[in-house]
Structures are given as structure tokens and as C-alpha cells.
């Protein structure tokens, strides 16, 4: 049986169902939100039956957690793992990588239960993201790397949320503010050397 074969109700069967479900969740959760996305709609977009859905995920909650786990498991390696940039440049490059709304913020806003797996994952990701910024600030020679890391994390999260509310690009303004923060926290000799 190939992935393109149809089942008795015309739904796609075979390998790839899990990835189709995750792809549908990425699209629907981004476009209309987690709470507004029903299981029937999710299955229709993924072209799977509910039975197939439950073979791959025990619940919608489990899908939401997996959806978040797949976003950025290595915490922006395209920024923080770049050897061609100085630590100061990596701090500022984090403002060049953005999406309309951070999926971790969106999940935390929509899911009120602090013990929900998606909320826990969102919290862990945001903590790890701030830690990557703090480590990079320390590498850059910041006088108070913890403070700079938290300031930059808050600035990025605020730009993401404001971008969504105003439907406008707020990241250029956030990047300009980041330059001021980094310049104030990182000694010039440390921040400009390669």
C-alpha cells in the first residue's frame, strides 16, 4: 500500500499520516489558533480518520505538545551556533530570525492549565532561549549577562506579540532597541573584536 492509496472513506492511508497530522496542526494552529482548531477539521486537513489520529496521538493535548517540540529543538542553531559571528553579532542576529507569532507564546496564551504538556514545553523553551542569550552575552563580555539575556528575551517576545496584535513588522524596532541594550552592556573592545 502506498501513501497515496485511499481508504474506504476516501482518506489517505499508509505511511506519512503522523507527518500529515503535524503539518496540518502547524498550519491550523498558526492560522486560527489551538482552541479554535477542532479534531474534525484537523483530520480533514491531514486527510486521516479519527482512528488514524488516535493511532498516532493519544489526545489533542499530546499533538499540541509534539507540535511545539518540533519547532526549534536546538534553540536557534542558525544564530547561536554560527562560528562566523562574534558573540555580540549573534545576540543581534537573534532579531533577524522571527515569525509572525512565537508558537510558544501562542500556546501559553491559549492553554490556561499550567500543568498542560504544551505549557510546560513552552516554559522550558523560553527558559532555554533566555539561557542561550545569557550564555552568548557572557561570551560577549557583558557586565551582567543574566540581565542582558533576560532583557533581550523579553524584547523578542514583546516584538512577537506586538507584531501579532498590530499586524505590523515590529522586529526592526526591537532590533534597534537591542543594539542600544547590547552596546550599553558589552564593553566596546569585547563586542567589536572578531
Amino acid at each position: 500500500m502506498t501513501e497515496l492509496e485511499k481508504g474506504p472513506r476516501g482518506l489517505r492511508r499508509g505511511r506519512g499520516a503522523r507527518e500529515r497530522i503535524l503539518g496540518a496542526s502547524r498550519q491550523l494552529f498558526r492560522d486560527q489558533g489551538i482552541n479554535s482548531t477542532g479534531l474534525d477539521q484537523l483530520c480533514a486537513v491531514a486527510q486521516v480518520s479519527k482512528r488514524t489520529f488516535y493511532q498516532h496521538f493519544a489526545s489533542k493535548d499530546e499533538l499540541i505538545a509534539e507540535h511545539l517540540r518540533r519547532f526549534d529543538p536546538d534553540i536557534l542553531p542558525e544564530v547561536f551556533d554560527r562560528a562566523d559571528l562574534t558573540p555580540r553579532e549573534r545576540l543581534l542576529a537573534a532579531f533577524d530570525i522571527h515569525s509572525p507569532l512565537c508558537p510558544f507564546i501562542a500556546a501559553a496564551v491559549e492553554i490556561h492549565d499550567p500543568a498542560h504538556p504544551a505549557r510546560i514545553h513552552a516554559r522550558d523553551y523560553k527558559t532555554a532561549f533566555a539561557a542561550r542569550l545569557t550564555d552568548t552575552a557572557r561570551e560577549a563580555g557583558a557586565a551582567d549577562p543574566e540581565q542582558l539575556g533576560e532583557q533581550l528575551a523579553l524584547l523578542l517576545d514583546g516584538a512577537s506579540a506586538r507584531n501579532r496584535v498590530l499586524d505590523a513588522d515590529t522586529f526592526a524596532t526591537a532590533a534597534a532597541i537591542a543594539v542600544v541594550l547590547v552596546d550599553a552592556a558589552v564593553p566596546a573592545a569585547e563586542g567589536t573584536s572578531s
Side-chain angles (χ1 to χ4, degrees), residues 65-89:
E66 180 63 19
H67 161 76
L68 290 179
R69 272 193 288 279
R70 290 187 168 213
F71 260 96
D72 192 17
D74 298 322
I75 319 285
L76 286 183
E78 66 272 26
V79 169
F80 293 113
D81 296 344
R82 287 187 59 183
D84 63 319
L85 298 178
T86 66
R88 181 186 187 284
E89 291 168 335

PDB file of all heavy atoms in Angstrom, residues 65-89:
ATOM      1  N   ALA A  65       1.633  19.284  22.254  1.00  0.00           N
ATOM      2  CA  ALA A  65       2.977  19.212  22.834  1.00  0.00           C
ATOM      3  C   ALA A  65       3.999  18.813  21.769  1.00  0.00           C
ATOM      4  O   ALA A  65       5.084  19.398  21.681  1.00  0.00           O
ATOM      5  CB  ALA A  65       2.995  18.244  24.009  1.00  0.00           C
ATOM      6  N   GLU A  66       3.666  17.827  20.943  1.00  0.00           N
ATOM      7  CA  GLU A  66       4.591  17.401  19.878  1.00  0.00           C
ATOM      8  C   GLU A  66       4.767  18.509  18.847  1.00  0.00           C
ATOM      9  O   GLU A  66       5.866  18.721  18.338  1.00  0.00           O
ATOM     10  CB  GLU A  66       4.089  16.119  19.212  1.00  0.00           C
ATOM     11  CG  GLU A  66       4.985  15.611  18.112  1.00  0.00           C
ATOM     12  CD  GLU A  66       6.385  15.207  18.557  1.00  0.00           C
ATOM     13  OE1 GLU A  66       6.607  14.975  19.763  1.00  0.00           O
ATOM     14  OE2 GLU A  66       7.282  15.117  17.692  1.00  0.00           O
ATOM     15  N   HIS A  67       3.708  19.198  18.546  1.00  0.00           N
ATOM     16  CA  HIS A  67       3.752  20.345  17.624  1.00  0.00           C
ATOM     17  C   HIS A  67       4.800  21.356  18.110  1.00  0.00           C
ATOM     18  O   HIS A  67       5.628  21.825  17.334  1.00  0.00           O
ATOM     19  CB  HIS A  67       2.343  20.953  17.574  1.00  0.00           C
ATOM     20  CG  HIS A  67       2.259  22.348  17.075  1.00  0.00           C
ATOM     21  ND1 HIS A  67       2.369  22.685  15.754  1.00  0.00           N
ATOM     22  CD2 HIS A  67       2.063  23.526  17.737  1.00  0.00           C
ATOM     23  CE1 HIS A  67       2.244  23.998  15.622  1.00  0.00           C
ATOM     24  NE2 HIS A  67       2.066  24.524  16.811  1.00  0.00           N
ATOM     25  N   LEU A  68       4.799  21.658  19.394  1.00  0.00           N
ATOM     26  CA  LEU A  68       5.761  22.617  19.939  1.00  0.00           C
ATOM     27  C   LEU A  68       7.171  22.041  19.994  1.00  0.00           C
ATOM     28  O   LEU A  68       8.144  22.756  19.729  1.00  0.00           O
ATOM     29  CB  LEU A  68       5.335  23.077  21.329  1.00  0.00           C
ATOM     30  CG  LEU A  68       4.102  23.961  21.373  1.00  0.00           C
ATOM     31  CD1 LEU A  68       3.768  24.322  22.806  1.00  0.00           C
ATOM     32  CD2 LEU A  68       4.289  25.221  20.540  1.00  0.00           C
ATOM     33  N   ARG A  69       7.300  20.769  20.334  1.00  0.00           N
ATOM     34  CA  ARG A  69       8.631  20.148  20.408  1.00  0.00           C
ATOM     35  C   ARG A  69       9.369  20.237  19.085  1.00  0.00           C
ATOM     36  O   ARG A  69      10.588  20.309  19.051  1.00  0.00           O
ATOM     37  CB  ARG A  69       8.514  18.679  20.820  1.00  0.00           C
ATOM     38  CG  ARG A  69       8.517  18.453  22.304  1.00  0.00           C
ATOM     39  CD  ARG A  69       8.719  16.981  22.641  1.00  0.00           C
ATOM     40  NE  ARG A  69       7.557  16.178  22.330  1.00  0.00           N
ATOM     41  CZ  ARG A  69       6.473  16.067  23.098  1.00  0.00           C
ATOM     42  NH1 ARG A  69       6.408  16.736  24.227  1.00  0.00           N
ATOM     43  NH2 ARG A  69       5.471  15.307  22.738  1.00  0.00           N
ATOM     44  N   ARG A  70       8.650  20.245  17.989  1.00  0.00           N
ATOM     45  CA  ARG A  70       9.282  20.231  16.670  1.00  0.00           C
ATOM     46  C   ARG A  70       9.677  21.607  16.156  1.00  0.00           C
ATOM     47  O   ARG A  70      10.368  21.702  15.147  1.00  0.00           O
ATOM     48  CB  ARG A  70       8.348  19.573  15.665  1.00  0.00           C
ATOM     49  CG  ARG A  70       8.230  18.110  15.934  1.00  0.00           C
ATOM     50  CD  ARG A  70       7.464  17.459  14.866  1.00  0.00           C
ATOM     51  NE  ARG A  70       7.615  16.023  14.990  1.00  0.00           N
ATOM     52  CZ  ARG A  70       7.636  15.220  13.969  1.00  0.00           C
ATOM     53  NH1 ARG A  70       7.517  15.687  12.755  1.00  0.00           N
ATOM     54  NH2 ARG A  70       7.767  13.930  14.151  1.00  0.00           N
ATOM     55  N   PHE A  71       9.243  22.664  16.806  1.00  0.00           N
ATOM     56  CA  PHE A  71       9.521  23.995  16.274  1.00  0.00           C
ATOM     57  C   PHE A  71      10.991  24.346  16.256  1.00  0.00           C
ATOM     58  O   PHE A  71      11.523  24.743  15.245  1.00  0.00           O
ATOM     59  CB  PHE A  71       8.730  25.073  17.019  1.00  0.00           C
ATOM     60  CG  PHE A  71       7.531  25.478  16.258  1.00  0.00           C
ATOM     61  CD1 PHE A  71       6.321  24.903  16.552  1.00  0.00           C
ATOM     62  CD2 PHE A  71       7.615  26.375  15.228  1.00  0.00           C
ATOM     63  CE1 PHE A  71       5.197  25.234  15.833  1.00  0.00           C
ATOM     64  CE2 PHE A  71       6.506  26.712  14.491  1.00  0.00           C
ATOM     65  CZ  PHE A  71       5.289  26.138  14.795  1.00  0.00           C
ATOM     66  N   ASP A  72      11.638  24.282  17.358  1.00  0.00           N
ATOM     67  CA  ASP A  72      13.024  24.747  17.443  1.00  0.00           C
ATOM     68  C   ASP A  72      13.746  23.963  18.535  1.00  0.00           C
ATOM     69  O   ASP A  72      14.127  24.530  19.555  1.00  0.00           O
ATOM     70  CB  ASP A  72      13.028  26.251  17.743  1.00  0.00           C
ATOM     71  CG  ASP A  72      14.398  26.887  17.576  1.00  0.00           C
ATOM     72  OD1 ASP A  72      15.266  26.271  16.933  1.00  0.00           O
ATOM     73  OD2 ASP A  72      14.583  27.986  18.091  1.00  0.00           O
ATOM     74  N   PRO A  73      13.953  22.668  18.321  1.00  0.00           N
ATOM     75  CA  PRO A  73      14.503  21.838  19.401  1.00  0.00           C
ATOM     76  C   PRO A  73      15.913  22.229  19.840  1.00  0.00           C
ATOM     77  O   PRO A  73      16.293  21.986  20.973  1.00  0.00           O
ATOM     78  CB  PRO A  73      14.475  20.429  18.813  1.00  0.00           C
ATOM     79  CG  PRO A  73      14.450  20.622  17.337  1.00  0.00           C
ATOM     80  CD  PRO A  73      13.729  21.914  17.101  1.00  0.00           C
ATOM     81  N   ASP A  74      16.674  22.859  18.965  1.00  0.00           N
ATOM     82  CA  ASP A  74      18.057  23.209  19.303  1.00  0.00           C
ATOM     83  C   ASP A  74      18.231  24.684  19.659  1.00  0.00           C
ATOM     84  O   ASP A  74      19.349  25.156  19.781  1.00  0.00           O
ATOM     85  CB  ASP A  74      18.983  22.834  18.145  1.00  0.00           C
ATOM     86  CG  ASP A  74      18.967  21.349  17.866  1.00  0.00           C
ATOM     87  OD1 ASP A  74      18.909  20.566  18.841  1.00  0.00           O
ATOM     88  OD2 ASP A  74      18.970  20.970  16.687  1.00  0.00           O
ATOM     89  N   ILE A  75      17.158  25.417  19.837  1.00  0.00           N
ATOM     90  CA  ILE A  75      17.171  26.830  20.234  1.00  0.00           C
ATOM     91  C   ILE A  75      18.012  27.672  19.254  1.00  0.00           C
ATOM     92  O   ILE A  75      19.140  28.056  19.533  1.00  0.00           O
ATOM     93  CB  ILE A  75      17.683  27.047  21.673  1.00  0.00           C
ATOM     94  CG1 ILE A  75      17.171  26.008  22.637  1.00  0.00           C
ATOM     95  CG2 ILE A  75      17.377  28.473  22.130  1.00  0.00           C
ATOM     96  CD1 ILE A  75      15.743  26.131  23.069  1.00  0.00           C
ATOM     97  N   LEU A  76      17.440  27.941  18.116  1.00  0.00           N
ATOM     98  CA  LEU A  76      18.036  28.794  17.084  1.00  0.00           C
ATOM     99  C   LEU A  76      19.499  28.465  16.756  1.00  0.00           C
ATOM    100  O   LEU A  76      20.367  29.331  16.845  1.00  0.00           O
ATOM    101  CB  LEU A  76      17.927  30.270  17.479  1.00  0.00           C
ATOM    102  CG  LEU A  76      16.569  30.926  17.391  1.00  0.00           C
ATOM    103  CD1 LEU A  76      16.686  32.404  17.743  1.00  0.00           C
ATOM    104  CD2 LEU A  76      15.921  30.762  16.046  1.00  0.00           C
ATOM    105  N   PRO A  77      19.775  27.251  16.308  1.00  0.00           N
ATOM    106  CA  PRO A  77      21.161  26.935  15.944  1.00  0.00           C
ATOM    107  C   PRO A  77      21.664  27.810  14.793  1.00  0.00           C
ATOM    108  O   PRO A  77      22.864  28.099  14.712  1.00  0.00           O
ATOM    109  CB  PRO A  77      21.105  25.458  15.536  1.00  0.00           C
ATOM    110  CG  PRO A  77      19.677  25.214  15.171  1.00  0.00           C
ATOM    111  CD  PRO A  77      18.872  26.136  16.053  1.00  0.00           C
ATOM    112  N   GLU A  78      20.745  28.281  13.939  1.00  0.00           N
ATOM    113  CA  GLU A  78      21.143  29.135  12.816  1.00  0.00           C
ATOM    114  C   GLU A  78      21.657  30.491  13.280  1.00  0.00           C
ATOM    115  O   GLU A  78      22.232  31.242  12.493  1.00  0.00           O
ATOM    116  CB  GLU A  78      19.997  29.297  11.813  1.00  0.00           C
ATOM    117  CG  GLU A  78      18.784  30.040  12.332  1.00  0.00           C
ATOM    118  CD  GLU A  78      17.746  29.165  13.027  1.00  0.00           C
ATOM    119  OE1 GLU A  78      18.088  28.094  13.567  1.00  0.00           O
ATOM    120  OE2 GLU A  78      16.584  29.574  13.062  1.00  0.00           O
ATOM    121  N   VAL A  79      21.494  30.791  14.557  1.00  0.00           N
ATOM    122  CA  VAL A  79      22.033  32.015  15.145  1.00  0.00           C
ATOM    123  C   VAL A  79      23.150  31.680  16.128  1.00  0.00           C
ATOM    124  O   VAL A  79      24.291  32.101  15.979  1.00  0.00           O
ATOM    125  CB  VAL A  79      20.931  32.832  15.870  1.00  0.00           C
ATOM    126  CG1 VAL A  79      21.540  33.961  16.692  1.00  0.00           C
ATOM    127  CG2 VAL A  79      19.919  33.375  14.876  1.00  0.00           C
ATOM    128  N   PHE A  80      22.822  30.887  17.138  1.00  0.00           N
ATOM    129  CA  PHE A  80      23.747  30.670  18.243  1.00  0.00           C
ATOM    130  C   PHE A  80      24.919  29.747  17.922  1.00  0.00           C
ATOM    131  O   PHE A  80      25.930  29.784  18.610  1.00  0.00           O
ATOM    132  CB  PHE A  80      22.994  30.149  19.470  1.00  0.00           C
ATOM    133  CG  PHE A  80      22.055  31.172  20.043  1.00  0.00           C
ATOM    134  CD1 PHE A  80      20.686  30.985  19.999  1.00  0.00           C
ATOM    135  CD2 PHE A  80      22.538  32.337  20.608  1.00  0.00           C
ATOM    136  CE1 PHE A  80      19.818  31.926  20.529  1.00  0.00           C
ATOM    137  CE2 PHE A  80      21.674  33.293  21.129  1.00  0.00           C
ATOM    138  CZ  PHE A  80      20.320  33.092  21.089  1.00  0.00           C
ATOM    139  N   ASP A  81      24.817  28.937  16.889  1.00  0.00           N
ATOM    140  CA  ASP A  81      25.903  28.017  16.541  1.00  0.00           C
ATOM    141  C   ASP A  81      26.763  28.530  15.388  1.00  0.00           C
ATOM    142  O   ASP A  81      27.600  27.795  14.867  1.00  0.00           O
ATOM    143  CB  ASP A  81      25.332  26.638  16.197  1.00  0.00           C
ATOM    144  CG  ASP A  81      24.651  25.977  17.384  1.00  0.00           C
ATOM    145  OD1 ASP A  81      24.874  26.423  18.529  1.00  0.00           O
ATOM    146  OD2 ASP A  81      23.886  25.025  17.168  1.00  0.00           O
ATOM    147  N   ARG A  82      26.590  29.777  15.016  1.00  0.00           N
ATOM    148  CA  ARG A  82      27.368  30.334  13.896  1.00  0.00           C
ATOM    149  C   ARG A  82      28.752  30.770  14.382  1.00  0.00           C
ATOM    150  O   ARG A  82      28.884  31.691  15.176  1.00  0.00           O
ATOM    151  CB  ARG A  82      26.641  31.528  13.295  1.00  0.00           C
ATOM    152  CG  ARG A  82      25.423  31.102  12.504  1.00  0.00           C
ATOM    153  CD  ARG A  82      24.808  32.231  11.775  1.00  0.00           C
ATOM    154  NE  ARG A  82      25.738  32.858  10.830  1.00  0.00           N
ATOM    155  CZ  ARG A  82      25.418  33.923  10.112  1.00  0.00           C
ATOM    156  NH1 ARG A  82      24.222  34.474  10.227  1.00  0.00           N
ATOM    157  NH2 ARG A  82      26.289  34.448   9.294  1.00  0.00           N
ATOM    158  N   ALA A  83      29.765  30.100  13.855  1.00  0.00           N
ATOM    159  CA  ALA A  83      31.150  30.410  14.218  1.00  0.00           C
ATOM    160  C   ALA A  83      31.660  31.645  13.481  1.00  0.00           C
ATOM    161  O   ALA A  83      32.674  32.230  13.874  1.00  0.00           O
ATOM    162  CB  ALA A  83      32.048  29.212  13.911  1.00  0.00           C
ATOM    163  N   ASP A  84      30.966  32.058  12.421  1.00  0.00           N
ATOM    164  CA  ASP A  84      31.417  33.208  11.633  1.00  0.00           C
ATOM    165  C   ASP A  84      30.999  34.544  12.246  1.00  0.00           C
ATOM    166  O   ASP A  84      31.366  35.599  11.733  1.00  0.00           O
ATOM    167  CB  ASP A  84      30.895  33.108  10.196  1.00  0.00           C
ATOM    168  CG  ASP A  84      29.375  33.145  10.107  1.00  0.00           C
ATOM    169  OD1 ASP A  84      28.713  32.500  10.953  1.00  0.00           O
ATOM    170  OD2 ASP A  84      28.845  33.799   9.186  1.00  0.00           O
ATOM    171  N   LEU A  85      30.247  34.502  13.344  1.00  0.00           N
ATOM    172  CA  LEU A  85      29.808  35.727  14.011  1.00  0.00           C
ATOM    173  C   LEU A  85      30.439  35.833  15.393  1.00  0.00           C
ATOM    174  O   LEU A  85      30.638  34.826  16.067  1.00  0.00           O
ATOM    175  CB  LEU A  85      28.283  35.738  14.172  1.00  0.00           C
ATOM    176  CG  LEU A  85      27.431  35.714  12.911  1.00  0.00           C
ATOM    177  CD1 LEU A  85      25.950  35.667  13.271  1.00  0.00           C
ATOM    178  CD2 LEU A  85      27.724  36.902  12.020  1.00  0.00           C
ATOM    179  N   THR A  86      30.702  37.049  15.810  1.00  0.00           N
ATOM    180  CA  THR A  86      31.166  37.266  17.181  1.00  0.00           C
ATOM    181  C   THR A  86      29.963  37.049  18.111  1.00  0.00           C
ATOM    182  O   THR A  86      28.808  37.092  17.663  1.00  0.00           O
ATOM    183  CB  THR A  86      31.688  38.703  17.372  1.00  0.00           C
ATOM    184  OG1 THR A  86      30.605  39.624  17.221  1.00  0.00           O
ATOM    185  CG2 THR A  86      32.822  39.024  16.400  1.00  0.00           C
ATOM    186  N   PRO A  87      30.197  36.848  19.394  1.00  0.00           N
ATOM    187  CA  PRO A  87      29.075  36.720  20.320  1.00  0.00           C
ATOM    188  C   PRO A  87      28.124  37.916  20.267  1.00  0.00           C
ATOM    189  O   PRO A  87      26.903  37.752  20.286  1.00  0.00           O
ATOM    190  CB  PRO A  87      29.753  36.591  21.686  1.00  0.00           C
ATOM    191  CG  PRO A  87      31.081  35.991  21.374  1.00  0.00           C
ATOM    192  CD  PRO A  87      31.483  36.589  20.051  1.00  0.00           C
ATOM    193  N   ARG A  88      28.677  39.129  20.174  1.00  0.00           N
ATOM    194  CA  ARG A  88      27.834  40.326  20.073  1.00  0.00           C
ATOM    195  C   ARG A  88      26.958  40.254  18.828  1.00  0.00           C
ATOM    196  O   ARG A  88      25.770  40.554  18.872  1.00  0.00           O
ATOM    197  CB  ARG A  88      28.710  41.571  20.028  1.00  0.00           C
ATOM    198  CG  ARG A  88      27.915  42.858  19.943  1.00  0.00           C
ATOM    199  CD  ARG A  88      28.844  44.075  19.744  1.00  0.00           C
ATOM    200  NE  ARG A  88      28.098  45.309  19.826  1.00  0.00           N
ATOM    201  CZ  ARG A  88      27.314  45.764  18.852  1.00  0.00           C
ATOM    202  NH1 ARG A  88      27.172  45.091  17.734  1.00  0.00           N
ATOM    203  NH2 ARG A  88      26.657  46.903  19.006  1.00  0.00           N
ATOM    204  N   GLU A  89      27.528  39.851  17.706  1.00  0.00           N
ATOM    205  CA  GLU A  89      26.767  39.737  16.459  1.00  0.00           C
ATOM    206  C   GLU A  89      25.684  38.658  16.559  1.00  0.00           C
ATOM    207  O   GLU A  89      24.580  38.820  16.023  1.00  0.00           O
ATOM    208  CB  GLU A  89      27.700  39.447  15.284  1.00  0.00           C
ATOM    209  CG  GLU A  89      28.601  40.611  14.915  1.00  0.00           C
ATOM    210  CD  GLU A  89      29.719  40.244  13.952  1.00  0.00           C
ATOM    211  OE1 GLU A  89      30.121  39.049  13.909  1.00  0.00           O
ATOM    212  OE2 GLU A  89      30.200  41.151  13.252  1.00  0.00           O
TER     213      GLU A  89
END
